[in-house]
Amino acid sequence: MNTPSTGSATGPRLEAVSADGALALKHLDLPRHAAVLDVGTGSGQFAVYLASQGYRVVTGEPASDQSRYAHRDWAAAARNAGVLDRIRFTPLDASELPFAPESFDAVFFFGVLHHIPEPLRRSALGEALRVAKSGGPAVFFEPRPELLRTVRADDPGHPPAANPSLYLLDPGVQETHIQGSLMDIFIYRRGARKG
Ligand SMILES: C[S@@+](CC[C@H](N)C(=O)[O-])C[C@H]1O[C@@H](n2cnc3c(N)ncnc32)[C@H](O)[C@@H]1O
């Protein structure tokens, strides 16, 4: 069996990120140059992936985060991939996003929800759906057990995966679950469309 490689302490290699990213994007039907929000920048793997698909990406993480997963050199990864001009960084907290309602065609949390303290996760879900356009998706990627085992070899205290559906407040939200190779993918939409 192939064990997924983490590539760094922050997550899987870009090719594995791309495979699970592509799986999700197939369900989303986003406009070509969609404006998207990537919450939890980390080393920038998912922001770079989204920008490489032609999207205009805003990404951020809390300025106060002192963990090993924050304040990484995401800009170097973006520069290497030739997509730095499509990514804008701003400090943010998922539980209180500094954006107007319906600012983005889609909102992504790639390997992030389980790093957010439990009492703030409901707000994070609510905020993701608030800043996504009506019918636009909020997409959460959470690590599958095999990836978690690999990550924990390097970071034994790494938190367990979160199930975002436990933190949904609005019963009118539609949800779709897809099993990726490294990540479980949860897609939520307010409004009529199903992912
Ligand atoms: C493992 S990294 C995510 C990997 C990253 N998405 C990538 O593609 O490389 C976890 C991220 O969650 C962020 N994070 C933790 N708590 C957060 C919060 N309350 N709001 C937003 N981001 C948060 C951390 O700062 C870090 O950037």
Side-chain angles (χ1 to χ4, degrees):
M1 179 169 54
N2 287 332
T3 301
S5 167
T6 55
S8 76
T10 58
R13 286 182 193 282
L14 192 56
E15 59 266 31
V17 170
S18 302
D20 281 358
L23 204 52
L25 290 184
K26 262 199 337 212
H27 286 256
L28 302 186
D29 195 23
L30 294 179
R32 194 149 162 258
H33 298 297
V36 301
L37 175 63
D38 169 63
V39 176
T41 311
S43 55
Q45 295 176 103
F46 205 64
V48 167
Y49 169 70
L50 290 169
S52 75
Q53 301 307 298
Y55 303 136
R56 293 167 290 135
V57 183
V58 175
T59 186
E61 63 193 13
S64 59
D65 189 345
Q66 295 302 315
S67 75
R68 64 194 289 174
Y69 299 106
H71 308 290
R72 311 281 300 212
D73 194 0
W74 65 268
R79 201 174 296 111
N80 286 341
V83 296
L84 186 56
D85 60 334
R86 279 189 227 139
I87 303 177
R88 179 168 72 82
F89 178 89
T90 187
L92 56 77
D93 192 304
S95 63
E96 202 173 347
L97 291 172
F99 307 106
E102 307 209 8
S103 294
F104 297 98
D105 293 300
V107 178
F108 297 92
F109 285 57
F110 189 91
V112 174
L113 189 64
H114 56 282
H115 288 285
I116 296 176
E118 172 93 32
L120 299 181
R121 291 181 188 170
R122 266 183 207 285
S123 314
L125 263 284
E127 283 292 89
L129 288 162
R130 180 184 69 79
V131 302
K133 286 182 181 161
S134 180
V139 186
F140 292 77
F141 295 76
E142 284 289 305
R144 295 187 49 71
E146 193 179 352
L147 174 60
L148 260 185
R149 271 195 296 280
T150 312
V151 171
R152 281 184 168 149
D154 189 48
D155 177 11
H158 189 278
N163 176 356
S165 298
L166 296 178
Y167 306 104
L168 262 186
L169 283 176
D170 181 350
V173 170
Q174 293 178 329
E175 58 179 281
T176 304
H177 177 217
I178 304 166
Q179 190 176 305
S181 57
L182 296 179
M183 307 294 261
D184 281 310
I185 306 167
F186 302 85
I187 303 173
Y188 302 98
R189 296 177 190 270
R190 282 182 296 120
R193 287 193 304 170
K194 178 128 181 142

